[in-house]
């Protein structure tokens, strides 16, 4: 788009388009890695009831530091990882995208290089650009693995201030073993760099969370979200786990009262109903394996996934062609810009049946 001369948009942003996947009505949505299951009625009712209490005091600003929510998030992580984090080790915001942006506002900028290994979550370089932080591109292998030794060499050669890794990785689904993350943390520490480990899909993985590295390495930050396993994408709640000094740095750059009283209340209720909200995670994992089998049966290949989506390849058409064929048959999947690959989110069993039926029809 060409911008009018009266609009003083930064020169380095003028060629960008807004980030986002197509939102199309009347099709099944297997394109944004959401959890397909609606909230159980009793959890939705508990949220409504808490919000109607909170509504009476919406004349007041919310708890600026979201202490109750951060305490509950710390408890949630401690329950999963046998750690002893408190609210001082947690920061929460409107989705983990905001967490990532806040991190770069605090620690990025023109004097701080940020290194990432692609293909990975495309919002990482976008946030780098928006915060004016020079991005250095590292690569994954042909099979999309993160080769730890070459990653360490890249860290040593480029001396970044921030290093992004994603595990399980989006859009490829594969994970980085904890032993490799430890080596990366060591290597980043030698350069006085933060290692930002994006664990948006951690609950779908069998690998331990990297939060256990934080007591060993002050430079490790783990970012997570309630959008996926908690089926809470619409509420917009993300958080990070890190040393208290880093959390304090977040307080410097966050906007005052950034997390509304309604969001905080809803997220607290969701955490109180963790088991009910995550009840379908195992089903999604077994559905993932069923979809893998269907893709293999159609003569395609998948990247081993520890997340709620699959990257697949081996089709004769271009990615754009096959994407369109799925859409024409009512199934919206994601063309992630990797030639010869497409990504499908694991949906409900019925949605997956529909995806597999279309696949069979197209492959026939
Ligand atoms: C790797 C990764 N990180 C972060 C996010 C952002 O999640 P949210 O802002 O919904 O918390 C996503 C969303 O798809 C993701 O794939």
């Amino acid at each position: 788009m060409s911008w009018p001369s009266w609009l003083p948009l930064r020169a380095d942003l003028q060629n960008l388009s807004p980030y986002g996947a197509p939102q199309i009505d009347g099709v099944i949505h297997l394109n944004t890695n959401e959890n397909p299951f609606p909230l159980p009625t009793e959890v939705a009712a508990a949220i409504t009831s808490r919000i109607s209490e909170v509504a009476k005091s919406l004349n007041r600003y919310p708890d600026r530091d979201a202490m109750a929510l951060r305490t509950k998030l710390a408890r949630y992580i401690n329950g999963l990882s046998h750690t002893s984090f408190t609210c001082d080790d947690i920061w929460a915001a409107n989705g983990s995208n905001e967490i990532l942006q806040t991190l770069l506002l605090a620690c990025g900028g023109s004097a701080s290089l940020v290194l990432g290994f692609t293909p990975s979550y495309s919002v990482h370089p976008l946030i780098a650009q928006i915060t004016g932080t020079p991005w250095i591109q590292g690569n994954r292998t042909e099979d999309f693995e993160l080769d730890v030794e070459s990653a360490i060499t890249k860290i040593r050669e480029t001396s970044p201030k921030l290093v992004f890794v994603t595990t399980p990785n989006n859009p490829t689904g594969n994970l980085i073993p904890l032993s490799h993350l430890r080596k990366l943390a060591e290597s980043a520490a030698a350069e006085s760099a933060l290692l930002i480990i994006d664990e948006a899909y951690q609950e779908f993985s069998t690998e331990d969370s990297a939060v256990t590295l934080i007591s060993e390495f002050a430079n490790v930050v783990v970012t997570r979200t309630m959008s996926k396993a908690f089926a809470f994408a619409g509420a917009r709640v993300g958080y990070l786990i890190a040393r208290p000094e880093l959390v304090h740095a977040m307080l410097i750059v966050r906007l005052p009262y950034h997390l509304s009283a309604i969001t905080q209340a809803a997220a607290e209720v969701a955490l109180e109903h963790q088991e009910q909200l995550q009840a379908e995670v195992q089903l999604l994992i077994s559905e993932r394996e069923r979809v893998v089998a269907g893709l293999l049966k159609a003569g395609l290949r998948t990247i081993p996934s520890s997340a709620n989506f699959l990257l697949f390849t081996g089709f004769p058409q271009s990615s754009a062609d096959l994407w369109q064929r799925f859409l024409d048959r009512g199934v919206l999947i994601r063309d992630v810009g990797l030639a010869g690959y497409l990504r499908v989110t694991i949906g409900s069993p019925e949605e997956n049946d529909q995806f597999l039926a279309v696949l069979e029809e197209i492959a026939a």
Side-chain angles (χ1 to χ4, degrees), residues 105-142:
L105 281 174
C107 303
S110 58
S112 298
L113 302 178
V114 54
L115 170 64
F117 301 91
T118 56
S120 190
Y121 185 42
S122 56
V123 168
H124 296 162
L126 180 63
I127 288 177
Q129 183 165 7
I130 286 165
T131 58
T133 315
W135 173 262
I136 311 167
Q137 176 114 333
N139 293 311
R140 288 177 162 250
T141 65
E142 264 184 25

Side-chain angles (χ1 to χ4, degrees), residues 32-33 94-98 100 121 124 166 168 170 198 200-201 224-228 233 236-238:
T32 49
N33 298 343
N94 297 284
S96 57
N97 285 335
E98 185 178 271
L100 297 167
Y121 185 42
H124 296 162
T166 308
N170 180 12
D198 185 333
Y201 301 95
R224 300 187 54 141
T225 180
M226 293 181 73
S227 295
K228 314 294 178 179
R236 310 304 299 126
V237 185

Side-chain angles (χ1 to χ4, degrees), residues 239-308:
Y239 56 104
L240 64 72
I241 308 102
R243 292 283 180 95
E245 294 84 351
L246 184 129
V247 172
H248 199 71
M250 299 297 99
L251 292 168
I252 305 287
V253 292
R254 61 108 170 89
L255 289 172
Y257 313 109
H258 68 298
L259 204 53
S260 83
I262 291 173
T263 305
Q264 292 184 39
E268 285 175 43
V269 178
L271 285 157
E272 289 157 20
H273 294 81
Q274 169 203 333
E275 277 168 27
Q276 281 149 285
L277 286 176
Q278 295 192 359
E280 316 293 359
V281 167
Q282 280 313 314
L283 174 61
L284 287 171
I285 292 171
S286 67
E287 281 292 297
R288 179 181 76 207
E289 297 318 308
R290 186 168 75 88
V291 176
V292 169
L295 286 160
L296 294 180
K297 195 168 147 225
L300 305 183
R301 189 169 74 80
T302 60
I303 305 303
S305 174
S306 297
N308 65 338

